[in-house]
Amino acid sequence: MHIQALRGTTDLLAPDVARLARVERAARRLAKCYGYQELRTPILEDAQLFLRAVGETSDIVQKEMFRFKDRGEQDIVLRPEGTASVVRAYLEHNLHKTEGFARLLYLGPMFRAERPQAGRLRQFHQYGVEAIGSHSPWVDAEAIVLCVEILRACGVKELAVWLSSMGCRPDQERSRAALRERLRPRLSTLCKECQGRFEKNVFRVLDCKHPACQEMARTSASSPFLLCGDCQTHFGTVREGLTAAGVMFDDTKVFARGLDYYTRTVFEVRAKGLGAQDAVAAGGRYDHLVEELGGPSLGAFGFAAGMERVLMAAGDAAAEAPAPARQGVYLAVLGAALMPQAFRLAQQVRARGMLAVMDPEGKSLKAQLREADKWQCRFVAILGEKEQQAQALSVKDLEQGTQQAIAFDAFPEAMAQHAVHTQS
Ligand code: HAM
């Protein structure tokens, strides 16, 4: 019986890893330009963290967490998202005291027990940022600009930024009541799930994919969110910031976020050609989460992007890596007795940061040369009886088309001069 990867999980082979690494590099490079510093939090977390942060009525908590009892004791989950973990870490390490305002970047796998489909996995990868410790709308605008810049750098061309404000908590109370009033007369036409959401979390109706619910949610008023004066001013400044940065956005779309911590600004970036799962990145402001997790009252804003979706949206653009130059050296060894010498030389080359590959199987010279070609090595260094006696390798430079003998002693340095430091 063949054991296969679990449904909704994937193996990433070398080309996939290279594509993913390019996305990671773009995220790291650009986030650094905006002052973000990377942190890594554990994949395992206390279940209570997400129950409190993401919300008991959210789909994530209700049905998507990989949750288990560790040795029958602790209630543990595989993290479904990064925001709650980052805020926990921020507080646990007293960053509110030492740093105050902190801009944090994270990358890594997240887990949600969703029904797998194209662009929806059970183990997927996110990069995300959290700017914790400010209520300023400029922080929102700056992070959204960063989000768009990273996507562009990854080759996502056709994207739409949906921007909205859910208002502060009192605004949300008013909006909930107003939305219920609007939906109540036709409550029975909503899908079963939304009938349940009507009382528990009515905003989620705005997000339902069921046509009848969509129809209901999107008719009558443009935005279901009623904003107080301060929230209107905040939202106005976010729009001003985006306009100043030349980022286009659409603030007419009605949508809700599936996590409960949001207040004020929320946004989603949708990419063309992704089908039903077209949100490549999303986020917003969460001005109560730090306090709800036991910290001081601090404003915060963040977003996360699904790397698999970014790659799908970028399509061929993501594959457009510059053709890798030939690099490294292939050591072709003719005879088992010469292995220790070749082994030593290969090691000395690698110690200088250069790729050195050798055949451990004792293949024929022809087979080894074929292999050197497969590796796209720039040099092939042959070590046979003749070379052993001369204490010098026969080295072919496949890029220049030249050949020369290089003494064992001089070989590692001679190779190192051509080291191309690997960029996957
Ligand atoms: P989210 O909207 O749940 O937000 O996820 C962000 C992004 O992760 C989505 O837009 C999507 O690209 C990707 N994603 C989510 N679920 C899956 C899945 N099952 N398979 C593949 N990709 C997926 C959050 O996670 C918030 N923590 C964002 C945030 C940060 N808000 C404030 N700070």
Side-chain angles (χ1 to χ4, degrees):
M1 188 187 75
H2 293 291
I3 297 174
Q4 296 189 320
L6 295 172
R7 224 160 76 84
T9 72
T10 47
D11 297 310
L12 299 171
L13 302 185
D16 308 316
V17 172
R19 278 158 54 89
L20 211 65
R22 276 199 288 280
V23 173
E24 290 174 348
R25 263 203 310 282
R28 286 199 173 100
R29 178 171 59 79
L30 285 160
K32 205 168 159 188
C33 294
Y34 286 68
Y36 283 86
Q37 291 189 307
E38 188 172 343
L39 88 170
R40 298 185 193 196
T41 61
I43 284 168
L44 296 175
E45 291 275 9
D46 188 324
Q48 287 306 315
L49 177 63
F50 299 100
L51 298 189
R52 269 207 251 165
V54 177
E56 303 246 10
T57 58
S58 66
D59 283 354
I60 291 183
V61 167
Q62 294 240 312
K63 50 188 183 194
E64 294 170 5
M65 289 204 299
F66 284 102
R67 185 173 178 182
F68 57 96
K69 284 268 194 280
D70 169 36
R71 297 159 205 271
E73 288 165 24
Q74 248 187 311
D75 189 5
I76 282 179
V77 293
L78 297 180
R79 63 180 184 195
E81 60 108 47
T83 311
S85 303
V86 171
V87 173
R88 179 200 50 67
Y90 174 88
L91 291 172
E92 194 163 326
H93 300 280
N94 285 316
L95 299 188
H96 54 300
K97 291 186 189 141
T98 56
E99 306 264 315
F101 181 43
R103 288 186 177 92
L104 303 168
L105 163 76
Y106 54 96
L107 302 101
M110 304 290 162
F111 304 81
R112 295 185 194 175
E114 297 194 77
R115 196 168 44 78
Q117 64 181 78
R120 192 158 74 189
L121 294 156
R122 291 186 162 178
Q123 175 172 346
F124 57 99
H125 297 80
Q126 280 187 346
Y127 60 78
V129 305
E130 311 296 344
I132 307 173
S134 170
H135 284 94
S136 167
W138 294 102
V139 170
D140 312 20
E142 184 189 85
I144 298 172
V145 174
L146 168 62
C147 180
V148 170
E149 287 295 318
I150 298 174
L151 292 171
R152 290 216 180 108
C154 292
V156 182
K157 292 199 182 77
E158 294 187 71
L159 49 81
V161 177
W162 288 12
L163 185 71
S164 173
S165 174
M166 297 180 71
C168 54
R169 286 273 161 90
D171 289 350
Q172 292 182 3
E173 266 318 303
R174 288 190 298 133
S175 307
R176 254 186 223 105
L179 185 59
R180 281 200 194 98
E181 282 322 300
R182 216 207 286 176
L183 297 178
R184 200 182 305 278
R186 285 180 291 165
L187 183 56
S188 57
T189 63
L190 295 181
C191 75
K192 272 264 148 344
E193 210 169 349
C194 280
Q195 292 187 15
R197 288 169 173 157
F198 182 82
E199 282 306 330
K200 282 191 238 139
N201 192 348
V202 70
F203 291 148
R204 296 304 321 286
V205 179
L206 303 172
D207 231 14
C208 183
K209 296 275 187 281
H210 202 278
C213 306
Q214 276 194 356
E215 182 65 29
M216 288 276 283
R218 291 179 190 183
T219 46
S220 30
S222 54
S223 173
F225 300 111
L226 309 169
L227 304 187
C228 65
D230 282 353
C231 287
Q232 277 178 27
T233 307
H234 184 102
F235 194 39
T237 309
V238 176
R239 284 182 297 208
E240 204 183 320
L242 292 178
T243 307
V247 169
M248 307 265 280
F249 56 87
D250 181 348
D251 57 3
T252 64
K253 292 283 190 292
V254 173
F255 66 97
R257 300 279 302 125
L259 304 91
D260 287 355
Y261 46 61
Y262 293 109
T263 48
R264 294 192 160 172
T265 319
V266 285
F267 78 106
E268 291 194 350
V269 185
R270 290 168 185 270
K272 217 174 166 182
L274 286 195
Q277 306 301 321
D278 63 348
V280 276
R285 179 159 279 284
Y286 49 95
D287 287 339
H288 298 277
L289 186 57
V290 180
E291 198 172 3
E292 279 161 11
L293 292 179
S297 168
L298 292 176
F301 188 95
F303 72 79
M307 291 199 236
E308 287 82 359
R309 289 192 197 173
V310 172
L311 285 171
M312 280 168 74
D316 292 342
E320 270 169 27
R326 283 186 170 270
Q327 53 176 292
V329 54
Y330 190 93
L331 266 146
V333 193
L334 309 178
L338 300 171
M339 278 302 275
Q341 179 65 278
F343 201 77
R344 203 162 31 242
L345 288 168
Q347 200 48 39
Q348 288 168 359
V349 172
R350 293 175 190 135
R352 288 166 171 77
M354 191 182 195
L355 169 75
V357 193
M358 53 186 280
D359 161 45
E361 308 284 349
K363 289 197 192 87
S364 69
L365 179 61
K366 205 168 147 201
Q368 292 191 58
L369 293 180
R370 252 201 318 271
E371 201 135 297
D373 201 50
K374 204 172 103 194
W375 277 96
Q376 287 281 295
C377 284
R378 171 159 174 193
F379 299 97
V380 176
I382 298 173
L383 176 59
E385 274 306 321
K386 190 176 77 170
E387 285 79 14
Q388 178 68 8
Q389 266 169 26
Q391 292 283 292
L393 295 150
S394 306
V395 181
K396 280 188 196 170
D397 182 339
L398 299 177
E399 203 173 272
Q400 306 285 327
T402 55
Q403 183 159 354
Q404 61 175 321
I406 303 180
F408 288 171
D409 285 352
F411 177 71
E413 266 313 308
M415 290 294 101
Q417 283 175 12
H418 302 284
V420 179
H421 289 282
T422 333
Q423 293 220 333
S424 58

